[in-house]
Amino acid sequence: MTILGIETSCDETGVALTQDKRVLCNSIYSQQIHSRFGGVVPEIASREHTERLLMMTRGILEEKKMSVEDIDGIAVTYGPGLLCSLLIGLNFSKSLSYSLGVPFVGVNHLEAHIYSPFINIEEYSYPFLSLLVSGGHTSIVKVNDFRDYEVLGSTLDDACGESFDKVSKLIGLGYPGGPAIEKFAGEGEENEFDFPVPDPEGLDFSYSGLKTSVLYTYLGLPQEERIYRVSDIAASFQRSAIESLLIKLKRAVRMTGIKRVSVSGGVSANKLLRKRLEELDIEWIAPDKEFTVDNGAMVGFLGYKLFKEGIRSELGLKADSRLSLN
Ligand code: KG4
Ligand code: ZN
């Protein structure tokens, strides 16, 4: 089954062609325009999606020497995310589905991330744990079966990726913050600043205290020191942020006795996180880098699994900016 996967939940326009469980083509346009504002501007994001979507879809079909007639189904993210961005992908998919006479299925963005590590490889058997770390979400989920989830812990305030973005903006490294912080951290000393490692009770996460600690430390530095200590701040912040994820993950493994862990979302690209996961006594998997950030391939991949279960969406499906896993 050839599926067109569409992702427009935030500031990445993602378009992909998948065939059963294989990814044929995955095209991602990361909207750089937001960097000048230090964060995503929803109205601009949706305009960018509108401008790109058709062109990118044509592009991947041409690349694979295929036409719209070859598409058997369409999978599209319908939530959670920015409402005006979701609507662009959803309406595009509905129109295409209607005009081509092929089915479409709405995909939960969080579920698409959860299964994304299994693109191109053998899936874990159930149950497994999922550490979902992105710009909008930070959760540990027990996946009991296909689409049967128990959210064991979530963030009480900022998401992990969001804290990378905010700290990056504060210390002048721009948006998106994750890759920028990681790059500068590579030149810095991670024990130079003693930022707290957030560990609220149980399996919940919290990043606002760490972010505030970085803020006051940074503002407390003499002006001339702020610039040349940026790498040390980035490295020390990254160490605390990643350490917090590991504390929670180790606790979840201990509490559930489950040692198979899928790690996904934009932050799963982080090299320090991957290095630290390697040191744990667990079996873990994270997606190839191109499937860590928001992308159409993970939507098409999950779409195939849904179609196989006989799941389809009606044209009346509404975008749901607050869609959860429950
Ligand atoms: O999954 P994603 O593309 O979007 C959401 O669903 O939110 O994740 C984007 C987030 C951003 O906050 C970005 O700063 C973060 O992932 N990110 C990283 C890295 N690459 C992206 N965070 C830490 N290290 C990275 N290498
Ligand atoms: Zn995402």
Side-chain angles (χ1 to χ4, degrees), residues 268-292:
S268 72
N270 187 277
K271 292 193 199 75
L272 178 65
L273 172 61
R274 292 185 180 219
K275 181 166 165 261
R276 298 295 320 278
L277 284 165
E278 210 44 55
E279 294 161 7
L280 303 185
D281 176 28
I282 59 170
E283 196 185 331
W284 67 277
I285 184 157
D288 287 347
K289 186 131 191 274
E290 66 170 313
F291 307 129
T292 56

Short mmCIF file of all heavy atoms in Angstrom, two decimals, residues 268-292:
data_model
loop_
_atom_site.label_atom_id
_atom_site.label_comp_id
_atom_site.label_asym_id
_atom_site.label_seq_id
_atom_site.Cartn_x
_atom_site.Cartn_y
_atom_site.Cartn_z
N SER A 268 15.51 13.35 20.87
CA SER A 268 16.18 12.03 20.77
C SER A 268 17.35 12.07 19.80
O SER A 268 18.12 11.10 19.71
CB SER A 268 15.18 10.93 20.38
OG SER A 268 14.77 11.05 19.04
N ALA A 269 17.51 13.18 19.07
CA ALA A 269 18.69 13.33 18.19
C ALA A 269 19.93 13.65 19.02
O ALA A 269 21.06 13.51 18.54
CB ALA A 269 18.44 14.45 17.19
N ASN A 270 19.73 14.06 20.26
CA ASN A 270 20.85 14.56 21.08
C ASN A 270 21.90 13.46 21.36
O ASN A 270 21.57 12.39 21.87
CB ASN A 270 20.29 15.12 22.40
CG ASN A 270 21.36 15.80 23.21
OD1 ASN A 270 22.10 15.14 23.94
ND2 ASN A 270 21.48 17.10 23.08
N LYS A 271 23.15 13.80 21.04
CA LYS A 271 24.21 12.78 21.15
C LYS A 271 24.53 12.43 22.60
O LYS A 271 24.83 11.28 22.91
CB LYS A 271 25.48 13.27 20.46
CG LYS A 271 25.33 13.39 18.96
CD LYS A 271 26.70 13.58 18.30
CE LYS A 271 26.56 14.15 16.90
NZ LYS A 271 26.22 15.59 16.88
N LEU A 272 24.47 13.41 23.49
CA LEU A 272 24.75 13.10 24.90
C LEU A 272 23.68 12.14 25.44
O LEU A 272 24.00 11.17 26.15
CB LEU A 272 24.79 14.38 25.75
CG LEU A 272 25.03 14.15 27.23
CD1 LEU A 272 26.42 13.57 27.48
CD2 LEU A 272 24.86 15.46 28.04
N LEU A 273 22.42 12.39 25.06
CA LEU A 273 21.35 11.49 25.51
C LEU A 273 21.63 10.07 25.02
O LEU A 273 21.55 9.10 25.78
CB LEU A 273 19.99 11.99 24.98
CG LEU A 273 18.80 11.05 25.20
CD1 LEU A 273 18.56 10.80 26.69
CD2 LEU A 273 17.53 11.62 24.56
N ARG A 274 22.00 9.95 23.75
CA ARG A 274 22.24 8.61 23.19
C ARG A 274 23.44 7.94 23.87
O ARG A 274 23.43 6.74 24.12
CB ARG A 274 22.43 8.70 21.67
CG ARG A 274 21.12 9.08 20.98
CD ARG A 274 21.22 9.05 19.48
NE ARG A 274 19.94 9.43 18.89
CZ ARG A 274 19.39 8.89 17.81
NH1 ARG A 274 20.01 7.93 17.17
NH2 ARG A 274 18.22 9.30 17.36
N LYS A 275 24.45 8.75 24.17
CA LYS A 275 25.64 8.19 24.84
C LYS A 275 25.27 7.68 26.23
O LYS A 275 25.67 6.58 26.65
CB LYS A 275 26.70 9.30 24.93
CG LYS A 275 27.98 8.90 25.57
CD LYS A 275 29.07 9.95 25.31
CE LYS A 275 30.24 9.74 26.22
NZ LYS A 275 30.25 10.60 27.40
N ARG A 276 24.49 8.47 26.94
CA ARG A 276 24.11 8.08 28.31
C ARG A 276 23.18 6.87 28.31
O ARG A 276 23.22 6.04 29.21
CB ARG A 276 23.47 9.26 29.05
CG ARG A 276 24.39 10.48 29.25
CD ARG A 276 25.59 10.20 30.15
NE ARG A 276 25.28 9.37 31.29
CZ ARG A 276 24.74 9.80 32.43
NH1 ARG A 276 24.51 11.08 32.60
NH2 ARG A 276 24.47 8.97 33.40
N LEU A 277 22.32 6.78 27.29
CA LEU A 277 21.42 5.61 27.19
C LEU A 277 22.24 4.33 27.02
O LEU A 277 21.89 3.28 27.54
CB LEU A 277 20.47 5.77 26.00
CG LEU A 277 19.31 6.76 26.19
CD1 LEU A 277 18.66 7.10 24.85
CD2 LEU A 277 18.26 6.19 27.15
N GLU A 278 23.33 4.48 26.29
CA GLU A 278 24.22 3.35 26.03
C GLU A 278 24.77 2.76 27.33
O GLU A 278 25.06 1.58 27.41
CB GLU A 278 25.37 3.87 25.15
CG GLU A 278 25.99 2.92 24.18
CD GLU A 278 25.02 2.06 23.41
OE1 GLU A 278 24.10 2.56 22.74
OE2 GLU A 278 25.20 0.86 23.52
N GLU A 279 24.92 3.63 28.35
CA GLU A 279 25.51 3.18 29.62
C GLU A 279 24.51 2.45 30.52
O GLU A 279 24.88 1.88 31.54
CB GLU A 279 26.07 4.41 30.38
CG GLU A 279 27.23 5.08 29.66
CD GLU A 279 27.47 6.50 30.15
OE1 GLU A 279 26.83 6.93 31.14
OE2 GLU A 279 28.29 7.20 29.53
N LEU A 280 23.22 2.51 30.16
CA LEU A 280 22.21 1.88 31.01
C LEU A 280 22.05 0.40 30.66
O LEU A 280 22.31 -0.01 29.53
CB LEU A 280 20.85 2.56 30.85
CG LEU A 280 20.77 4.07 31.12
CD1 LEU A 280 19.32 4.53 31.03
CD2 LEU A 280 21.34 4.41 32.48
N ASP A 281 21.57 -0.33 31.64
CA ASP A 281 21.33 -1.76 31.43
C ASP A 281 19.93 -1.95 30.84
O ASP A 281 19.03 -2.51 31.49
CB ASP A 281 21.48 -2.48 32.79
CG ASP A 281 21.16 -3.95 32.67
OD1 ASP A 281 21.33 -4.51 31.57
OD2 ASP A 281 20.69 -4.54 33.68
N ILE A 282 19.73 -1.42 29.64
CA ILE A 282 18.43 -1.55 28.98
C ILE A 282 18.66 -1.81 27.49
O ILE A 282 19.76 -1.62 26.98
CB ILE A 282 17.57 -0.25 29.11
CG1 ILE A 282 18.31 0.96 28.49
CG2 ILE A 282 17.19 0.01 30.54
CD1 ILE A 282 17.44 2.19 28.35
N GLU A 283 17.56 -2.23 26.83
CA GLU A 283 17.59 -2.35 25.38
C GLU A 283 16.87 -1.11 24.86
O GLU A 283 15.71 -0.90 25.23
CB GLU A 283 16.81 -3.62 25.00
CG GLU A 283 17.03 -4.14 23.62
CD GLU A 283 16.10 -5.33 23.36
OE1 GLU A 283 15.76 -6.05 24.35
OE2 GLU A 283 15.71 -5.53 22.24
N TRP A 284 17.55 -0.24 24.13
CA TRP A 284 16.86 0.98 23.68
C TRP A 284 17.02 1.19 22.20
O TRP A 284 17.95 0.68 21.58
CB TRP A 284 17.37 2.21 24.45
CG TRP A 284 18.80 2.56 24.15
CD1 TRP A 284 19.90 2.00 24.72
CD2 TRP A 284 19.28 3.50 23.19
NE1 TRP A 284 21.04 2.55 24.18
CE2 TRP A 284 20.68 3.47 23.23
CE3 TRP A 284 18.66 4.38 22.29
CZ2 TRP A 284 21.48 4.28 22.42
CZ3 TRP A 284 19.43 5.19 21.48
CH2 TRP A 284 20.84 5.14 21.56
N ILE A 285 16.09 1.95 21.67
CA ILE A 285 16.15 2.25 20.25
C ILE A 285 15.65 3.67 20.02
O ILE A 285 14.71 4.11 20.69
CB ILE A 285 15.32 1.22 19.44
CG1 ILE A 285 15.48 1.51 17.96
CG2 ILE A 285 13.86 1.23 19.82
CD1 ILE A 285 15.19 0.32 17.11
N ALA A 286 16.31 4.38 19.12
CA ALA A 286 15.85 5.72 18.75
C ALA A 286 15.84 5.79 17.23
O ALA A 286 16.55 5.02 16.58
CB ALA A 286 16.81 6.77 19.33
N PRO A 287 15.06 6.70 16.66
CA PRO A 287 14.97 6.73 15.20
C PRO A 287 16.25 7.25 14.54
O PRO A 287 17.04 7.94 15.19
CB PRO A 287 13.84 7.75 14.93
CG PRO A 287 13.34 8.20 16.24
CD PRO A 287 14.25 7.73 17.31
N ASP A 288 16.40 6.95 13.25
CA ASP A 288 17.45 7.61 12.48
C ASP A 288 17.18 9.11 12.58
O ASP A 288 16.03 9.53 12.72
CB ASP A 288 17.35 7.21 10.99
CG ASP A 288 17.82 5.79 10.77
OD1 ASP A 288 18.44 5.23 11.71
OD2 ASP A 288 17.54 5.24 9.70
N LYS A 289 18.25 9.90 12.44
CA LYS A 289 18.12 11.34 12.69
C LYS A 289 16.98 11.98 11.89
O LYS A 289 16.23 12.80 12.40
CB LYS A 289 19.46 12.00 12.36
CG LYS A 289 19.51 13.45 12.71
CD LYS A 289 20.75 13.81 13.51
CE LYS A 289 20.65 15.21 14.08
NZ LYS A 289 21.07 16.26 13.18
N GLU A 290 16.80 11.56 10.63
CA GLU A 290 15.77 12.22 9.80
C GLU A 290 14.35 11.96 10.32
O GLU A 290 13.41 12.64 9.94
CB GLU A 290 15.88 11.80 8.33
CG GLU A 290 15.57 10.35 8.08
CD GLU A 290 15.45 10.01 6.60
OE1 GLU A 290 14.79 10.73 5.84
OE2 GLU A 290 16.04 8.99 6.20
N PHE A 291 14.20 10.94 11.18
CA PHE A 291 12.87 10.66 11.72
C PHE A 291 12.71 11.16 13.16
O PHE A 291 11.72 10.84 13.82
CB PHE A 291 12.57 9.15 11.66
CG PHE A 291 12.77 8.55 10.29
CD1 PHE A 291 13.54 7.41 10.12
CD2 PHE A 291 12.17 9.12 9.18
CE1 PHE A 291 13.73 6.84 8.86
CE2 PHE A 291 12.34 8.57 7.91
CZ PHE A 291 13.13 7.43 7.75
N THR A 292 13.71 11.90 13.67
CA THR A 292 13.58 12.41 15.04
C THR A 292 12.73 13.68 15.05
O THR A 292 11.82 13.81 15.84
CB THR A 292 14.95 12.73 15.69
OG1 THR A 292 15.67 13.64 14.85
CG2 THR A 292 15.76 11.48 15.92
#
